[in-house]
Protein backbone atom coordinates (compact mmCIF):
# COMPACT_ATOMS: atom_id res chain seq x y z
CA UNK A 1 0.00 0.00 0.00
CA UNK A 2 1.24 3.47 -0.87
CA UNK A 3 2.57 5.37 2.11
CA UNK A 4 0.11 8.26 1.66
CA UNK A 5 -2.77 5.81 1.36
CA UNK A 6 -1.71 4.14 4.61
CA UNK A 7 -1.44 7.55 6.31
CA UNK A 8 -4.89 8.70 5.17
CA UNK A 9 -6.63 5.37 5.77
CA UNK A 10 -5.03 4.65 9.18
CA UNK A 11 -7.62 4.68 11.96
CA UNK A 12 -7.61 4.22 15.72
CA UNK A 13 -9.51 0.93 15.98
CA UNK A 14 -11.72 -0.17 18.88
CA UNK A 15 -13.89 -2.81 17.17
CA UNK A 16 -12.08 -6.03 16.29
CA UNK A 17 -13.00 -9.30 14.65
CA UNK A 18 -11.85 -12.48 16.35
CA UNK A 19 -9.48 -13.78 13.61
CA UNK A 20 -5.89 -14.29 14.75
CA UNK A 21 -3.06 -12.12 13.45
CA UNK A 22 -0.66 -14.54 11.70
CA UNK A 23 2.75 -14.63 13.34
CA UNK A 24 4.53 -13.63 10.12
CA UNK A 25 2.33 -10.53 9.86
CA UNK A 26 3.00 -9.67 13.50
CA UNK A 27 6.71 -10.12 12.84
CA UNK A 28 6.57 -7.79 9.81
CA UNK A 29 4.84 -4.99 11.71
CA UNK A 30 7.22 -5.32 14.68
CA UNK A 31 10.16 -5.21 12.29
CA UNK A 32 8.68 -2.07 10.73
CA UNK A 33 8.59 -0.53 14.21
CA UNK A 34 12.18 -1.58 14.84
CA UNK A 35 13.26 0.24 11.68
CA UNK A 36 12.22 3.65 12.92
CA UNK A 37 15.08 6.04 13.48
CA UNK A 38 16.23 6.49 17.03
CA UNK A 39 18.36 9.13 18.67
CA UNK A 40 22.01 8.02 18.43
CA UNK A 41 20.65 4.71 17.07
CA UNK A 42 19.90 3.73 20.69
CA UNK A 43 16.86 1.59 19.75
CA UNK A 44 15.35 2.18 23.20
CA UNK A 45 12.20 0.12 22.65
CA UNK A 46 10.90 -3.28 23.70
CA UNK A 47 7.75 -5.03 22.55
CA UNK A 48 5.68 -7.20 24.85
CA UNK A 49 3.16 -9.34 22.96
CA UNK A 50 0.10 -10.37 24.99
CA UNK A 51 -2.45 -12.94 23.90
CA UNK A 52 -3.39 -14.53 27.22
CA UNK A 53 -7.05 -13.63 27.97
CA UNK A 54 -6.36 -13.66 31.72
CA UNK A 55 -3.72 -10.96 31.32
CA UNK A 56 -5.94 -9.00 28.94
CA UNK A 57 -8.73 -9.17 31.48
CA UNK A 58 -6.51 -7.74 34.23
CA UNK A 59 -5.57 -4.83 31.98
CA UNK A 60 -9.17 -4.39 30.95
CA UNK A 61 -10.09 -3.93 34.61
CA UNK A 62 -7.46 -1.20 34.94
CA UNK A 63 -8.92 0.45 31.86
CA UNK A 64 -12.52 0.15 33.08
CA UNK A 65 -11.71 1.81 36.41
CA UNK A 66 -9.75 4.63 34.75
CA UNK A 67 -12.53 5.14 32.23
CA UNK A 68 -15.17 5.40 34.93
CA UNK A 69 -12.98 8.01 36.62
CA UNK A 70 -12.39 9.87 33.34
CA UNK A 71 -16.11 10.05 32.60
CA UNK A 72 -16.63 12.21 35.68
CA UNK A 73 -14.86 15.16 34.10
CA UNK A 74 -17.79 15.58 31.71
CA UNK A 75 -21.29 16.71 32.47
CA UNK A 76 -24.69 16.60 30.80
CA UNK A 77 -24.75 15.76 27.11
CA UNK A 78 -20.99 15.49 26.87
CA UNK A 79 -20.99 12.81 29.54
CA UNK A 80 -23.69 10.85 27.69
CA UNK A 81 -21.63 11.15 24.53
CA UNK A 82 -18.50 10.00 26.36
CA UNK A 83 -20.28 6.99 27.87
CA UNK A 84 -21.62 5.91 24.49
CA UNK A 85 -18.17 5.68 22.94
CA UNK A 86 -16.16 2.48 22.87
CA UNK A 87 -12.64 3.58 23.79
CA UNK A 88 -10.76 0.28 23.92
CA UNK A 89 -10.85 -3.19 22.41
CA UNK A 90 -8.58 -4.96 24.88
CA UNK A 91 -10.50 -8.23 25.17
CA UNK A 92 -11.52 -8.49 21.51
CA UNK A 93 -8.20 -7.66 19.85
CA UNK A 94 -6.19 -10.80 19.12
CA UNK A 95 -2.94 -9.15 20.21
CA UNK A 96 -2.31 -6.59 22.91
CA UNK A 97 1.10 -4.99 22.58
CA UNK A 98 3.00 -2.95 25.11
CA UNK A 99 5.73 -0.70 23.76
CA UNK A 100 8.24 0.49 26.32
CA UNK A 101 11.21 2.83 26.29
CA UNK A 102 14.35 2.20 28.30
CA UNK A 103 15.95 5.61 28.77
CA UNK A 104 18.91 3.99 30.51
CA UNK A 105 19.87 1.90 27.48
CA UNK A 106 23.48 2.59 26.61
CA UNK A 107 23.33 1.74 22.91
CA UNK A 108 24.45 4.68 20.81
CA UNK A 109 26.65 6.02 23.59
CA UNK A 110 24.28 8.84 24.49
CA UNK A 111 24.71 10.55 21.12
CA UNK A 112 22.12 13.28 20.62
CA UNK A 113 20.68 12.95 24.11
CA UNK A 114 22.61 15.49 26.15
CA UNK A 115 20.38 18.48 25.54
CA UNK A 116 17.16 16.60 24.69
CA UNK A 117 17.08 13.32 26.62
CA UNK A 118 13.34 13.12 25.91
CA UNK A 119 14.19 12.10 22.34
CA UNK A 120 14.54 8.49 23.53
CA UNK A 121 10.81 8.38 24.18
CA UNK A 122 10.14 10.37 21.00
CA UNK A 123 12.01 7.72 18.99
CA UNK A 124 9.80 5.06 20.53
CA UNK A 125 6.71 6.94 19.35
CA UNK A 126 8.13 7.03 15.81
CA UNK A 127 8.49 3.25 16.02
CA UNK A 128 4.83 3.00 17.05
CA UNK A 129 3.73 5.06 14.04
CA UNK A 130 5.76 2.80 11.74
CA UNK A 131 3.95 -0.19 13.22
CA UNK A 132 0.58 1.51 12.87
CA UNK A 133 1.09 2.30 9.18
CA UNK A 134 2.60 -1.10 8.36
CA UNK A 135 -0.35 -2.74 10.12
CA UNK A 136 -2.79 -0.62 8.09
CA UNK A 137 -1.17 -1.80 4.88
CA UNK A 138 -1.68 -5.40 6.08
CA UNK A 139 -5.36 -4.74 6.77
CA UNK A 140 -4.68 -4.88 10.50
CA UNK A 141 -6.14 -2.32 12.88
CA UNK A 142 -4.37 -0.72 15.83
CA UNK A 143 -6.00 1.07 18.75
CA UNK A 144 -3.92 3.05 21.23
CA UNK A 145 -5.39 2.86 24.74
CA UNK A 146 -4.25 5.71 26.97
CA UNK A 147 -7.04 5.47 29.56
CA UNK A 148 -4.89 3.36 31.86
CA UNK A 149 -2.59 3.93 34.79
CA UNK A 150 0.72 2.84 33.27
CA UNK A 151 2.19 1.85 36.65
CA UNK A 152 -0.64 -0.56 37.31
CA UNK A 153 -0.23 -2.14 33.87
CA UNK A 154 3.53 -2.46 34.41
CA UNK A 155 2.87 -4.27 37.66
CA UNK A 156 0.51 -6.78 36.01
CA UNK A 157 3.09 -7.51 33.31
CA UNK A 158 6.23 -7.53 35.47
CA UNK A 159 7.75 -4.56 33.66
CA UNK A 160 10.66 -3.06 35.65
CA UNK A 161 9.99 0.27 37.29
CA UNK A 162 12.66 2.24 35.40
CA UNK A 163 11.03 1.56 32.02
CA UNK A 164 8.55 3.94 30.47
CA UNK A 165 5.33 2.33 29.26
CA UNK A 166 4.83 4.43 26.14
CA UNK A 167 1.87 2.65 24.59
CA UNK A 168 -0.70 -0.05 25.19
CA UNK A 169 -1.93 -1.10 21.76
CA UNK A 170 -4.80 -3.34 20.70
CA UNK A 171 -3.99 -5.08 17.42
CA UNK A 172 -6.20 -7.23 15.22
CA UNK A 173 -8.43 -7.37 12.17
CA UNK A 174 -10.93 -4.54 12.49
CA UNK A 175 -14.65 -4.74 11.92
CA UNK A 176 -14.06 -1.91 9.46
CA UNK A 177 -11.74 0.93 8.59
CA UNK A 178 -14.00 3.95 8.69
CA UNK A 179 -13.56 6.92 6.37
CA UNK A 180 -13.08 9.38 9.21
CA UNK A 181 -11.84 9.22 12.80
CA UNK A 182 -14.59 8.03 15.13
CA UNK A 183 -14.38 11.23 17.20
CA UNK A 184 -15.03 13.28 14.06
CA UNK A 185 -17.96 11.11 12.92
CA UNK A 186 -19.56 11.25 16.37
CA UNK A 187 -19.24 15.03 16.52
CA UNK A 188 -16.83 14.98 19.46
CA UNK A 189 -14.11 16.94 17.66
CA UNK A 190 -13.55 18.18 14.09
CA UNK A 191 -10.29 18.19 12.22
CA UNK A 192 -8.60 21.60 12.31
CA UNK A 193 -7.62 23.02 8.90
CA UNK A 194 -3.89 22.42 8.36
CA UNK A 195 -3.31 26.08 7.48
CA UNK A 196 -4.38 27.11 10.99
CA UNK A 197 -1.42 25.18 12.38
CA UNK A 198 1.39 26.36 10.11
CA UNK A 199 3.56 29.41 10.67
CA UNK A 200 6.38 30.84 8.61
CA UNK A 201 9.74 32.07 9.83
CA UNK A 202 8.46 33.23 13.22
CA UNK A 203 5.75 32.07 15.59
CA UNK A 204 2.28 33.42 14.70
CA UNK A 205 3.42 34.64 11.30
CA UNK A 206 1.01 33.43 8.61
CA UNK A 207 2.65 35.16 5.65
CA UNK A 208 4.59 32.84 3.41
CA UNK A 209 7.17 35.46 2.42
CA UNK A 210 8.47 37.65 5.17
CA UNK A 211 11.66 38.67 3.43
CA UNK B 1 6.04 4.29 -2.66
CA UNK B 2 5.00 1.24 -0.67
CA UNK B 3 4.78 1.89 3.06
CA UNK B 4 7.31 -0.85 3.92
CA UNK B 5 9.70 0.50 1.29
CA UNK B 6 9.44 3.98 2.81
CA UNK B 7 10.03 2.54 6.29
CA UNK B 8 13.12 0.56 5.27
CA UNK B 9 14.57 3.28 3.03
CA UNK B 10 13.97 6.18 5.42
CA UNK B 11 17.22 7.68 6.67
CA UNK B 12 18.23 10.48 9.03
CA UNK B 13 19.76 12.91 6.54
CA UNK B 14 22.57 15.39 7.22
CA UNK B 15 23.86 16.05 3.70
CA UNK B 16 21.54 18.10 1.52
CA UNK B 17 21.60 19.41 -2.03
CA UNK B 18 20.63 23.02 -2.54
CA UNK B 19 17.46 22.48 -4.63
CA UNK B 20 14.32 24.00 -3.15
CA UNK B 21 11.49 21.83 -1.86
CA UNK B 22 8.44 22.79 -3.99
CA UNK B 23 5.66 24.28 -1.91
CA UNK B 24 3.14 21.64 -3.03
CA UNK B 25 5.50 18.89 -1.83
CA UNK B 26 5.99 20.67 1.49
CA UNK B 27 2.22 20.97 1.80
CA UNK B 28 1.75 17.25 1.13
CA UNK B 29 4.23 16.17 3.79
CA UNK B 30 2.77 18.61 6.35
CA UNK B 31 -0.69 17.29 5.57
CA UNK B 32 0.61 13.75 6.08
CA UNK B 33 1.87 14.84 9.51
CA UNK B 34 -1.49 16.43 10.29
CA UNK B 35 -3.23 13.12 9.55
CA UNK B 36 -1.51 11.24 12.35
CA UNK B 37 -3.81 10.11 15.09
CA UNK B 38 -3.86 12.20 18.22
CA UNK B 39 -5.13 11.49 21.70
CA UNK B 40 -8.78 12.58 21.86
CA UNK B 41 -8.25 14.05 18.36
CA UNK B 42 -6.61 17.04 20.07
CA UNK B 43 -4.22 17.72 17.16
CA UNK B 44 -1.73 19.34 19.54
CA UNK B 45 0.90 20.20 16.93
CA UNK B 46 2.06 23.30 15.10
CA UNK B 47 4.54 23.53 12.26
CA UNK B 48 6.95 26.44 11.87
CA UNK B 49 8.57 26.58 8.44
CA UNK B 50 11.94 28.32 8.34
CA UNK B 51 13.80 29.27 5.17
CA UNK B 52 15.47 32.52 6.22
CA UNK B 53 19.27 31.94 6.29
CA UNK B 54 19.68 34.45 9.12
CA UNK B 55 17.33 32.45 11.32
CA UNK B 56 18.98 29.19 10.29
CA UNK B 57 22.34 30.65 11.17
CA UNK B 58 21.16 31.61 14.67
CA UNK B 59 19.94 28.07 15.24
CA UNK B 60 23.13 26.67 13.77
CA UNK B 61 25.10 28.60 16.40
CA UNK B 62 22.99 27.03 19.15
CA UNK B 63 23.66 23.63 17.63
CA UNK B 64 27.42 24.25 17.26
CA UNK B 65 27.78 25.26 20.92
CA UNK B 66 25.74 22.28 22.13
CA UNK B 67 27.71 19.94 19.89
CA UNK B 68 31.04 21.21 21.22
CA UNK B 69 29.72 20.56 24.72
CA UNK B 70 28.42 17.10 23.79
CA UNK B 71 31.76 16.09 22.31
CA UNK B 72 33.37 16.40 25.74
CA UNK B 73 31.55 13.33 27.04
CA UNK B 74 33.70 11.16 24.79
CA UNK B 75 37.40 10.43 25.06
CA UNK B 76 40.13 9.02 22.85
CA UNK B 77 39.07 7.30 19.65
CA UNK B 78 35.38 7.73 20.40
CA UNK B 79 35.85 11.50 20.54
CA UNK B 80 37.68 11.48 17.21
CA UNK B 81 34.86 9.44 15.74
CA UNK B 82 32.27 11.83 17.18
CA UNK B 83 34.07 14.88 15.79
CA UNK B 84 34.27 13.36 12.33
CA UNK B 85 30.51 12.91 12.07
CA UNK B 86 28.20 15.49 10.53
CA UNK B 87 25.26 15.64 12.89
CA UNK B 88 23.16 18.43 11.37
CA UNK B 89 22.43 20.06 8.03
CA UNK B 90 20.77 23.23 9.29
CA UNK B 91 22.33 25.68 6.82
CA UNK B 92 22.23 23.40 3.77
CA UNK B 93 18.68 22.06 4.09
CA UNK B 94 16.21 24.15 2.11
CA UNK B 95 13.61 23.98 4.88
CA UNK B 96 14.06 23.88 8.63
CA UNK B 97 10.90 22.82 10.41
CA UNK B 98 10.03 23.13 14.05
CA UNK B 99 7.29 20.84 15.32
CA UNK B 100 5.75 21.87 18.63
CA UNK B 101 3.17 20.41 20.98
CA UNK B 102 0.67 22.52 22.88
CA UNK B 103 -0.33 20.43 25.87
CA UNK B 104 -2.83 23.09 26.90
CA UNK B 105 -4.84 22.80 23.68
CA UNK B 106 -8.45 22.11 24.52
CA UNK B 107 -9.46 20.36 21.32
CA UNK B 108 -10.80 16.90 22.07
CA UNK B 109 -11.96 17.92 25.53
CA UNK B 110 -9.13 16.11 27.30
CA UNK B 111 -10.33 12.69 26.16
CA UNK B 112 -7.70 10.04 26.84
CA UNK B 113 -5.36 12.38 28.68
CA UNK B 114 -6.35 11.99 32.31
CA UNK B 115 -4.08 9.09 33.18
CA UNK B 116 -1.46 9.61 30.46
CA UNK B 117 -1.18 13.33 29.66
CA UNK B 118 2.16 12.63 27.97
CA UNK B 119 0.22 11.18 25.02
CA UNK B 120 -0.18 14.72 23.64
CA UNK B 121 3.56 14.81 22.96
CA UNK B 122 3.50 11.19 21.80
CA UNK B 123 0.86 12.08 19.21
CA UNK B 124 3.11 14.84 17.94
CA UNK B 125 5.92 12.32 17.45
CA UNK B 126 3.58 10.12 15.41
CA UNK B 127 2.89 13.15 13.21
CA UNK B 128 6.63 13.60 12.72
CA UNK B 129 7.04 9.99 11.63
CA UNK B 130 4.21 10.42 9.12
CA UNK B 131 6.03 13.44 7.72
CA UNK B 132 9.32 11.56 7.60
CA UNK B 133 7.87 8.64 5.65
CA UNK B 134 5.83 10.82 3.30
CA UNK B 135 8.98 12.89 2.64
CA UNK B 136 10.95 9.71 1.89
CA UNK B 137 8.36 8.70 -0.68
CA UNK B 138 8.80 12.13 -2.31
CA UNK B 139 12.58 11.68 -2.46
CA UNK B 140 12.97 14.27 0.30
CA UNK B 141 15.32 13.75 3.22
CA UNK B 142 14.65 14.64 6.83
CA UNK B 143 17.23 15.00 9.59
CA UNK B 144 16.15 15.35 13.22
CA UNK B 145 18.54 17.59 15.16
CA UNK B 146 18.41 16.99 18.92
CA UNK B 147 21.77 18.56 19.79
CA UNK B 148 20.16 21.88 20.66
CA UNK B 149 18.87 23.59 23.76
CA UNK B 150 15.16 23.79 22.92
CA UNK B 151 14.61 26.88 25.09
CA UNK B 152 17.23 28.82 23.17
CA UNK B 153 15.68 27.82 19.85
CA UNK B 154 12.24 28.81 21.09
CA UNK B 155 13.60 32.23 22.03
CA UNK B 156 15.08 32.79 18.56
CA UNK B 157 11.78 31.87 16.91
CA UNK B 158 9.42 33.63 19.32
CA UNK B 159 7.77 30.38 20.40
CA UNK B 160 5.73 30.86 23.61
CA UNK B 161 7.20 29.33 26.74
CA UNK B 162 4.33 26.92 27.43
CA UNK B 163 4.83 25.06 24.14
CA UNK B 164 7.02 21.98 23.89
CA UNK B 165 9.54 22.07 21.07
CA UNK B 166 9.37 18.43 20.08
CA UNK B 167 11.56 18.43 16.99
CA UNK B 168 13.88 20.59 14.93
CA UNK B 169 13.97 19.02 11.47
CA UNK B 170 16.16 19.72 8.45
CA UNK B 171 14.26 18.99 5.23
CA UNK B 172 15.52 18.94 1.67
CA UNK B 173 16.75 16.84 -1.22
CA UNK B 174 19.53 14.62 0.12
CA UNK B 175 22.90 14.02 -1.49
CA UNK B 176 21.93 10.36 -1.22
CA UNK B 177 19.77 7.90 0.68
CA UNK B 178 22.31 5.42 2.05
CA UNK B 179 21.52 1.73 2.46
CA UNK B 180 22.14 1.78 6.19
CA UNK B 181 21.96 4.35 8.99
CA UNK B 182 25.13 6.48 9.09
CA UNK B 183 25.86 5.41 12.68
CA UNK B 184 25.80 1.76 11.60
CA UNK B 185 28.03 2.34 8.56
CA UNK B 186 30.55 4.30 10.62
CA UNK B 187 30.70 1.58 13.27
CA UNK B 188 29.24 3.77 15.99
CA UNK B 189 26.34 1.42 16.77
CA UNK B 190 24.94 -1.75 15.19
CA UNK B 191 21.30 -2.63 14.84
CA UNK B 192 20.09 -4.95 17.60
CA UNK B 193 18.32 -8.12 16.37
CA UNK B 194 14.56 -7.62 16.68
CA UNK B 195 14.15 -10.89 18.60
CA UNK B 196 16.28 -9.50 21.43
CA UNK B 197 13.64 -6.83 21.99
CA UNK B 198 10.45 -8.88 21.95
CA UNK B 199 8.87 -10.57 24.96
CA UNK B 200 5.74 -12.70 25.22
CA UNK B 201 3.01 -12.47 27.85
CA UNK B 202 5.34 -11.25 30.61
CA UNK B 203 8.48 -9.15 30.78
CA UNK B 204 11.67 -11.11 30.03
CA UNK B 205 9.76 -14.15 28.75
CA UNK B 206 11.14 -15.20 25.36
CA UNK B 207 8.94 -18.27 24.87
CA UNK B 208 6.18 -17.76 22.35
CA UNK B 209 3.71 -20.08 24.05
CA UNK B 210 3.47 -19.79 27.77
CA UNK B 211 0.06 -21.39 28.11
Amino acid sequence: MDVYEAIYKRRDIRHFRSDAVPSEVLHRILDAAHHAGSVGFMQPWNFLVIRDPITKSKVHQIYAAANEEAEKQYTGEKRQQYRAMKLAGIMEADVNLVVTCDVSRELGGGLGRQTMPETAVYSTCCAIENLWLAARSEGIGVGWVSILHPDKVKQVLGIPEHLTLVAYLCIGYPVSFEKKPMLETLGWQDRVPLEDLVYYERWHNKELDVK
Side-chain angles (χ1 to χ4, degrees), chain A:
Chain A
M1 181 184 278
D2 180 75
V3 60
Y4 278 108
E5 189 181 351
I7 286 169
Y8 287 112
K9 292 188 174 173
R10 185 205 53 75
R11 293 277 86 83
D12 201 323
I13 300 296
R14 277 84 172 80
H15 296 87
F16 294 94
R17 306 193 325 247
S18 59
D19 349 7
V21 177
S23 61
E24 64 273 18
V25 176
L26 182 61
H27 181 269
R28 280 201 295 271
I29 69 174
L30 290 176
D31 200 54
H34 186 42
H35 279 75
S38 58
V39 59
F41 206 23
M42 81 177 287
Q43 308 160 72
W45 40 70
N46 282 95
F47 306 100
L48 174 54
V49 177
I50 300 153
R51 280 190 154 120
D52 183 345
I54 297 170
T55 311
K56 286 178 184 172
S57 152
K58 287 178 186 163
V59 176
H60 178 78
Q61 285 169 35
I62 297 170
Y63 157 76
N67 198 43
E68 207 178 300
E69 203 52 46
E71 182 191 306
K72 293 181 186 155
Q73 77 182 308
Y74 306 102
T75 52
E77 201 188 330
K78 207 75 180 166
R79 185 184 282 198
Q80 294 310 317
Q81 209 181 354
Y82 186 91
R83 289 181 76 137
M85 289 192 288
K86 181 168 166 58
L87 296 174
I90 294 168
M91 295 309 295
E92 304 92 314
D94 178 46
V95 172
N96 286 196
L97 183 78
V98 171
V99 186
T100 58
C101 175
D102 182 354
V103 297
S104 70
R105 191 161 291 172
E106 287 176 5
L107 299 178
L111 189 150
R113 281 190 290 140
Q114 284 202 310
T115 49
M116 295 187 71
E118 61 271 32
T119 45
V121 172
Y122 296 176
S123 302
T124 307
C125 298
C126 290
I128 293 165
E129 187 67 5
N130 270 12
L131 178 147
W132 212 334
L133 296 174
R136 179 62 190 88
S137 81
E138 303 269 7
I140 303 271
V142 175
W144 185 327
V145 183
S146 64
I147 307 171
L148 287 168
H149 289 282
D151 287 345
K152 291 185 185 170
V153 177
K154 282 165 64 178
Q155 209 168 8
V156 163
L157 302 169
I159 299 175
E161 214 171 308
H162 74 282
L163 295 180
T164 307
L165 187 155
V166 179
Y168 194 92
L169 305 175
C170 300
I171 301 178
Y173 290 96
V175 171
S176 63
F177 286 107
E178 298 295 320
K179 280 208 169 167
K180 290 183 170 191
M182 175 189 76
L183 296 176
E184 194 175 353
T185 305
L186 296 180
W188 182 271
Q189 175 62 55
D190 285 338
R191 191 182 297 280
V192 177
L194 172 61
E195 51 271 31
D196 291 0
L197 302 170
V198 182
Y199 298 132
Y200 297 94
E201 304 300 345
R202 272 190 75 80
W203 196 255
H204 275 149
N205 179 61
K206 305 295 291 178
E207 301 298 316
L208 194 60
D209 294 299
V210 280
K211 300 297 288 177

